[in-house]
Amino acid sequence: MKKNVPVTFGPSTDVATSPFLKNSHVINAFAELSDNPDIPFAIYSGPGTKDFATFVDGGEFRGFILRDPATGYAVSGENLYKLRANGVATKIGVVQGSGPVIMAANKKNTGPQIAIVTGTIVYLLENDVLITYPDADLPLGANSVAYIDGYLVFGFNDGTFYITALNEAGSVSAIDFAEAEGSPDNCVCLYVDSRQILIFGDESIEPWVNTGNAAFPFERINGVFMPVGLLSKHTPKAIDNSVMFVSSKGHVARIEGYVARRVSNSGIEKSIQDSVNRGQQNEIVAWTYVEGGHEYYCVAGRDWSYSFDASTNLWLESESIGFPRSRRQMYLRAFNKHLVGDLSAAKCFEVNFDTRTEAGGSFVWSVRSAAIEFGSRRIRFDALSVTMDVGQGIAGAGGEAEIPKLMLRWSDDRGKTWDGDLVEEFGRQGEYGKQILFTRLGTSQGHGRIFEISSSSPVFGALIKAEAAIQVLAV
């Protein structure tokens, strides 16, 4: 029996415990949904990166903050750097420790003050002078800091939080504190969103607001309590009028109307659990960014990285050649650019849709299809026709920039082993009538087949649809 069948690639990363249930991957790419029932979505290659700044004597990238439109700060290794729009990074101080930092700035009229929390050490930056926190009325051991209504607010493991004087970050009164009341669990961190302080505990989330009370301005919102905790203090981030975080239950959650709803799938939760099993839960970090109408929540462990696209509710994967995950680490919108830190080198990069390489090297995007199967019957695959936005080659560029290529491979055991590695061009500049056809693709042996297409060509890639010409054979 001969027939043509559609082959669905993506549109998201969704992996089940058994790959025979779900085994979809979208890597370094993203989907845009369509109202066309014949083409419900297209998958586009993601943006590359190019060098922006080098942190001399830096190391592991630990955090970003923007002070004003012309000035940012970054922590790389154990050093703090002042960052300018021209990419010049100047070392101005030492921030001890390792791992991500949490930073917050106020609006002091003589120039913002920035508090930096690393481990349990608090630093204060003012006028490019970095000191350890100067007021002894702030107890030792702060685990987080945030800004709200002119105050910097410091969180502590015992559930207490202290506030600074109004727009004076270096001054704290010993009596200006409060304590989370809804649950006896420890405070992992506090986070501010929509003019609310969210106190994230091991087992609960408790919101506080500024009521203007003369004795102490913040009060708990009566009757509001979320019975889910926080796994890693570096994961709560605001996105699309909500907050997302990695919960103590091991899933990614999104707060909607004071309800924390699960938004991750089992594949992502397996990656989170793997980090927990290795004792690496505190190394899980997250950041958000907006590009081209898509708002992303990015979350990464030591050897995995995913992004949730809030515009489509789809999950995507990110990878870098030579790394167990994406090398991109944290994000800052500054100088009209999208900046990311580098996981291992003392650099930060600009994320740019006109750049289709990563830090000057190859950047590979790939997608896997749903399985093509007819019960346990064998299938002969005569051809796979792929519809792409062709003719994207760059005249005179040489190599795959001038003659971009698409690679095809397939698996008949749901991704355990692979065959193929066939290559076809997808169009020099102006070759808008280019047809992409892979032929003589062999026979599956009864478990169905998944296809994977990928490209490292440094040009724009857009996958529209695919169709396979097959013959269904006897068992």
Side-chain angles (χ1 to χ4, degrees), residues 248-317:
S248 55
K249 296 180 179 180
H251 58 236
V252 180
R254 183 174 183 173
I255 297 175
E256 300 175 349
Y258 298 120
V259 176
R261 303 189 185 279
R262 172 183 179 258
V263 295
S264 52
N265 56 49
S266 58
I268 292 163
E269 289 156 9
K270 182 181 184 304
S271 294
I272 293 170
Q273 187 59 48
D274 288 344
S275 291
V276 172
N277 292 344
R278 295 191 296 263
Q280 299 167 359
Q281 61 267 28
N282 294 327
E283 299 178 33
I284 300 174
V285 297
W287 58 96
T288 58
Y289 75 98
V290 180
E291 174 65 37
H294 295 259
E295 193 164 355
Y296 297 99
Y297 175 84
C298 306
V299 60
R302 185 180 292 184
D303 57 1
W304 51 267
S305 47
Y306 300 99
S307 298
F308 176 78
D309 184 345
S311 71
T312 60
N313 290 327
L314 300 176
W315 281 97
L316 316 166
E317 289 175 83

Side-chain angles (χ1 to χ4, degrees), residues 113-131:
Q113 299 166 299
I114 298 173
I116 304 171
V117 175
T118 171
T120 56
I121 303 173
V122 178
Y123 294 89
L124 185 64
L125 176 68
E126 185 172 6
N127 297 322
D128 289 346
V129 176
L130 183 69
I131 60 174

Side-chain angles (χ1 to χ4, degrees), residues 456-470:
S456 61
S457 298
V459 298
F460 172 69
L463 172 64
I464 310 302
K465 62 180 181 178
E467 185 177 76
I470 67 170

Side-chain angles (χ1 to χ4, degrees), residues 250-465:
H251 58 236
V252 180
R254 183 174 183 173
I255 297 175
E256 300 175 349
Y258 298 120
V259 176
R261 303 189 185 279
R262 172 183 179 258
V263 295
S264 52
N265 56 49
S266 58
I268 292 163
E269 289 156 9
K270 182 181 184 304
S271 294
I272 293 170
Q273 187 59 48
D274 288 344
S275 291
V276 172
N277 292 344
R278 295 191 296 263
Q280 299 167 359
Q281 61 267 28
N282 294 327
E283 299 178 33
I284 300 174
V285 297
W287 58 96
T288 58
Y289 75 98
V290 180
E291 174 65 37
H294 295 259
E295 193 164 355
Y296 297 99
Y297 175 84
C298 306
V299 60
R302 185 180 292 184
D303 57 1
W304 51 267
S305 47
Y306 300 99
S307 298
F308 176 78
D309 184 345
S311 71
T312 60
N313 290 327
L314 300 176
W315 281 97
L316 316 166
E317 289 175 83
S318 302
E319 292 181 359
S320 296
I321 293 176
F323 290 78
R325 45 157 278 196
S326 172
R327 66 190 297 176
R328 304 176 193 188
Q329 174 89 331
M330 304 179 194
Y331 170 84
L332 180 69
R333 176 67 173 170
F335 323 127
N336 293 318
K337 301 179 187 295
H338 300 282
L339 303 181
V340 291
D342 186 48
L343 183 63
S344 61
K347 288 186 174 184
C348 72
F349 303 118
E350 178 188 351
V351 179
N352 191 296
F353 265 93
D354 295 326
T355 302
R356 298 292 168 173
T357 58
E358 187 164 56
S362 294
F363 185 55
V364 181
W365 63 271
S366 66
V367 289
R368 290 185 190 171
S369 74
I372 301 169
E373 57 185 332
F374 288 86
S376 58
R377 300 180 70 177
R378 295 184 302 125
I379 305 170
R380 191 172 80 190
F381 291 84
D382 295 324
L384 179 71
S385 172
V386 179
T387 301
M388 290 187 64
D389 193 342
V390 295
Q392 297 296 322
I394 303 169
E400 289 192 33
E402 183 170 359
I403 311 173
K405 293 180 171 62
L406 193 70
M407 179 178 287
L408 174 73
R409 64 176 187 164
W410 59 84
S411 174
D412 294 334
D413 51 21
R414 304 301 171 98
K416 293 182 175 63
T417 60
W418 294 88
D419 294 301
D421 291 339
L422 305 183
V423 177
E424 290 288 336
E425 298 176 12
F426 64 93
R428 297 169 183 252
Q429 188 177 79
E431 262 190 323
Y432 302 127
K434 175 72 176 177
Q435 301 293 310
I436 306 171
L437 186 67
F438 296 93
T439 59
R440 297 183 178 181
L441 306 179
T443 302
S444 68
Q445 298 304 311
H447 291 302
R449 172 172 291 183
I450 61 174
F451 286 105
E452 179 186 272
I453 62 173
S454 63
S455 179
S456 61
S457 298
V459 298
F460 172 69
L463 172 64
I464 310 302
K465 62 180 181 178

Side-chain angles (χ1 to χ4, degrees), residues 39-349:
I39 307 174
F41 59 87
I43 295 177
Y44 302 117
S45 58
T49 62
K50 58 184 180 179
D51 285 355
F52 179 74
T54 298
F55 304 115
V56 177
D57 300 324
E60 170 199 6
F61 193 83
R62 302 172 61 194
F64 274 129
I65 194 170
L66 189 66
R67 187 189 72 182
D68 57 53
T71 311
Y73 293 93
V75 180
S76 177
E78 289 199 323
N79 293 315
L80 175 69
Y81 297 82
K82 186 176 184 178
L83 194 58
R84 294 292 197 180
N86 60 3
V88 173
T90 305
K91 183 168 60 175
I92 61 173
V94 173
V95 177
Q96 295 180 2
S98 62
V101 298
I102 298 177
M103 298 190 278
N106 65 11
K107 296 183 178 180
K108 187 174 181 178
N109 57 14
T110 57
Q113 299 166 299
I114 298 173
I116 304 171
V117 175
T118 171
T120 56
I121 303 173
V122 178
Y123 294 89
L124 185 64
L125 176 68
E126 185 172 6
N127 297 322
D128 289 346
V129 176
L130 183 69
I131 60 174
T132 54
Y133 195 79
D135 192 333
D137 283 337
L138 182 71
L140 299 176
N143 61 27
S144 50
V145 62
Y147 171 82
I148 181 171
D149 296 345
Y151 303 96
L152 289 187
V153 186
F154 295 94
F156 291 82
N157 292 343
D158 63 1
T160 59
F161 65 93
Y162 283 72
I163 63 173
T164 66
L166 196 63
N167 282 319
E168 181 46 69
S171 176
V172 168
S173 170
I175 62 171
D176 275 344
F177 73 94
E179 184 175 2
E181 303 166 349
S183 174
D185 57 334
N186 293 326
C187 170
V188 180
C189 80
L190 56 79
Y191 186 80
V192 168
D193 179 65
S194 301
R195 298 189 63 227
Q196 295 182 73
I197 301 173
L198 298 174
I199 301 177
F200 283 88
D202 294 316
E203 301 174 355
S204 65
I205 306 169
E206 187 173 301
W208 289 57
V209 294
N210 187 349
T211 62
N213 188 296
F216 188 78
F218 295 96
E219 295 183 29
R220 178 186 171 195
I221 300 177
N222 286 331
V224 177
F225 180 81
M226 287 169 270
V228 59
L230 179 67
L231 184 66
S232 171
K233 70 177 183 178
H234 300 293
T235 62
K237 298 295 174 184
I239 178 172
D240 192 31
N241 298 312
S242 63
V243 173
M244 292 180 62
F245 62 99
V246 178
S247 81
S248 55
K249 296 180 179 180
H251 58 236
V252 180
R254 183 174 183 173
I255 297 175
E256 300 175 349
Y258 298 120
V259 176
R261 303 189 185 279
R262 172 183 179 258
V263 295
S264 52
N265 56 49
S266 58
I268 292 163
E269 289 156 9
K270 182 181 184 304
S271 294
I272 293 170
Q273 187 59 48
D274 288 344
S275 291
V276 172
N277 292 344
R278 295 191 296 263
Q280 299 167 359
Q281 61 267 28
N282 294 327
E283 299 178 33
I284 300 174
V285 297
W287 58 96
T288 58
Y289 75 98
V290 180
E291 174 65 37
H294 295 259
E295 193 164 355
Y296 297 99
Y297 175 84
C298 306
V299 60
R302 185 180 292 184
D303 57 1
W304 51 267
S305 47
Y306 300 99
S307 298
F308 176 78
D309 184 345
S311 71
T312 60
N313 290 327
L314 300 176
W315 281 97
L316 316 166
E317 289 175 83
S318 302
E319 292 181 359
S320 296
I321 293 176
F323 290 78
R325 45 157 278 196
S326 172
R327 66 190 297 176
R328 304 176 193 188
Q329 174 89 331
M330 304 179 194
Y331 170 84
L332 180 69
R333 176 67 173 170
F335 323 127
N336 293 318
K337 301 179 187 295
H338 300 282
L339 303 181
V340 291
D342 186 48
L343 183 63
S344 61
K347 288 186 174 184
C348 72
F349 303 118

